[in-house]
Amino acid sequence: MRASKAVYNAAYELLRDKTSVPSFKGAINHIYRLDHYARSYCIRVRANEQLFGYETGFPKDLLVAALLTLSEEPEHNLEEELDRHVARLSSMPIGMGERHPIMPETVFFDFARTMVPHAFVLHEWLNDRRERADDIYTRAGKTLASIHRVEFSRFKRRLDEEWRAPEDWVGVQLEQLEKLTGVDLEAARVKDAVLPLLKTPERFVLAHNDYHPLNWLDTEEGLKVIDWDNAMIAPPELDLVKMRHWTRLNAEGHLVADTNAYNQFLEGYSSSGGRVNDDMLHVCELLWLPKVLAFERMREQQGFETKPFPSSNAVRKALMHCLEVREPVPFDSIA
């Protein structure tokens, strides 16, 4: 999808208009719909990017699309290609995008923050099916396995930082755990629990790092994965954690665990070559829950509703449960 200069100008006009109302407001991104003649576009604005330590100089969507395409050609050194694309995108804060079949096409992006105060990406607008197909979880598992074919021998804490040796991963995780605020008691218990389990990961992959049903679009063209702002290089098990706990929306609109749906997802993942180390999955789970707890407590203190995500009380109960056993407790039962 190629867009004209008129489309870019229409996007700027919409974002400058203080009366414009987003179609969706997330913790970080606000989503606006732009209808321009016969086409519709999605404008994803980083309204609160300071909440997370995001890479601020480039849109990850383009980097991910490039890596997914290059991974299909084994002669490429993906570590060198990642560095090359980060340098290229960081040097051109305004530009046009590209596409990959599992992602909405990026039409245009502006990370200069001069024309408008926030970085934004302009995508094609895709509609999710009103009723998702029965095999959505199997297909989502297959799609994640294809993402995880982008493999690396090392990792980065952030995609714009230096490469780190695999054995450094344990120390980085403990450092991040110690920096969490408002969850000192819970973090201390997690540290005691994970220290005997921590070991150098077997492999590192391109991880979406926010893989759950709200970030899938079941379109006529197939399953599309959105919201790549959290993407990082990590053990593949990291992407399975949220699926274990946030498998589906319940009747009240909260993301909850669902064992049957998760097993369908795992079947699709495994059938397409995905491999799971159960010990690493449990470690990633224990490291993830305190981060969610710290974030949701902060949001609640600021007066924000956590929905569709569980409350901090539900997250804490899930964490305490996981410290005792390796199975997630359905958030339905502890909301």
Side-chain angles (χ1 to χ4, degrees), residues 8-51:
Y8 311 152
N9 290 335
Y12 283 120
E13 289 176 9
L14 184 149
L15 295 178
R16 291 194 194 104
D17 185 351
K18 295 183 178 180
T19 65
S20 297
V21 178
S23 302
F24 172 79
K25 293 180 69 173
I28 309 297
N29 294 314
H30 292 178
I31 305 298
Y32 295 83
R33 176 168 176 154
L34 171 65
D35 294 312
H36 190 78
Y37 292 99
R39 293 186 181 276
S40 297
Y41 303 87
C42 166
I43 308 175
R44 196 176 83 248
V45 180
R46 280 191 175 183
N48 298 302
E49 63 184 348
Q50 71 280 0
L51 287 179

Side-chain angles (χ1 to χ4, degrees), residues 33-132:
R33 176 168 176 154
L34 171 65
D35 294 312
H36 190 78
Y37 292 99
R39 293 186 181 276
S40 297
Y41 303 87
C42 166
I43 308 175
R44 196 176 83 248
V45 180
R46 280 191 175 183
N48 298 302
E49 63 184 348
Q50 71 280 0
L51 287 179
F52 287 121
Y54 283 159
E55 298 86 337
T56 59
F58 61 92
K60 287 187 180 178
D61 311 69
L62 274 73
L63 175 62
V64 168
L67 290 173
L68 288 171
T69 299
L70 290 167
S71 69
E72 298 166 4
E73 304 169 359
E75 66 271 17
H76 291 288
N77 182 314
L78 293 181
E79 293 183 6
E80 292 179 358
E81 292 291 347
L82 186 150
D83 287 340
R84 184 173 69 85
H85 279 81
V86 167
R88 177 179 66 85
L89 291 169
S90 299
S91 68
M92 47 177 283
I94 299 177
M96 292 182 291
E98 52 189 282
R99 69 174 302 156
H100 186 275
I102 69 165
M103 304 168 63
E105 181 180 359
T106 300
V107 179
F108 178 74
F109 65 91
D110 183 345
F111 271 55
R113 302 169 179 83
T114 53
M115 303 284 283
V116 291
H118 303 294
F120 74 89
V121 179
L122 183 71
H123 297 285
E124 62 177 329
W125 184 277
L126 295 173
N127 291 313
D128 196 18
R129 297 181 190 273
R130 289 181 178 271
E131 293 187 12
R132 290 181 164 180

Side-chain angles (χ1 to χ4, degrees), residues 30 49 59 61 88 117 146 200 215 217 236 267 274 314 316:
H30 292 178
E49 63 184 348
D61 311 69
R88 177 179 66 85
S146 71
T200 301
N215 283 333
L217 295 176
E267 181 180 350
R316 186 182 186 280

Side-chain angles (χ1 to χ4, degrees), residues 148 201-203 205 234-242 269 275-282 284-285:
H148 287 175
E202 296 175 350
R203 53 197 283 256
V205 302
E237 289 80 10
L238 181 67
D239 270 338
L240 304 184
V241 170
K242 289 187 181 182
Y269 183 73
R275 307 193 306 272
V276 184
N277 181 304
D278 289 336
D279 288 338
M280 182 55 66
L281 176 60
H282 186 54
C284 288
E285 181 176 49

